[in-house]
Amino acid sequence: MPRAIAPGFIDGGMSAPFDADPKVRAACEGAVPNGGLGKIEDIAEAVWFLASPQPRYVNAHQLVVDGGVCHSLLRSLPRE
C-alpha cells in the first residue's frame, strides 16, 4: 500500500535558510491560501492518519499537505 505525503511550505528545519530572509518568508506565507506556513504538526497528523488503520482502502495515494498552494496554482493556469 504505497502512500506518500507531499508537504508544502512548512515552518520547520529544512526551510530555515529560506525563512531567515524576511522577504522570502513573507512571500512564502503570502502564497498560501490558508494564510501562512504549515507547522510540523500538520505533517505529523497526515503521517499519523496514513499510518493508522483508518485509510485501509487508500492505495497508491499522495496526500498533499500544502495549505491549498497546489490548487491555487492550478486555478491560475491559463485555459482556452
Side-chain angles (χ1 to χ4, degrees):
M1 291 183 267
R3 299 175 186 141
I5 294 174
F9 297 124
I10 303 300
D11 192 7
M14 289 181 65
S15 60
F18 302 103
D19 294 340
D21 182 335
K23 288 182 181 180
V24 172
R25 183 177 177 95
C28 289
E29 288 175 341
V32 180
N34 281 14
L37 302 177
K39 298 181 187 222
I40 294 170
E41 294 82 8
D42 297 321
I43 303 304
E45 289 172 2
V47 170
W48 186 259
F49 170 70
L50 289 179
S52 77
Q54 289 178 317
R56 71 168 189 86
Y57 210 61
V58 176
N59 286 306
H61 181 73
Q62 179 176 339
L63 180 59
V64 179
V65 183
D66 71 350
V69 172
C70 282
H71 268 341
S72 67
L73 290 175
L74 290 173
R75 282 194 315 254
S76 67
L77 292 175
R79 299 174 192 249
E80 293 183 24

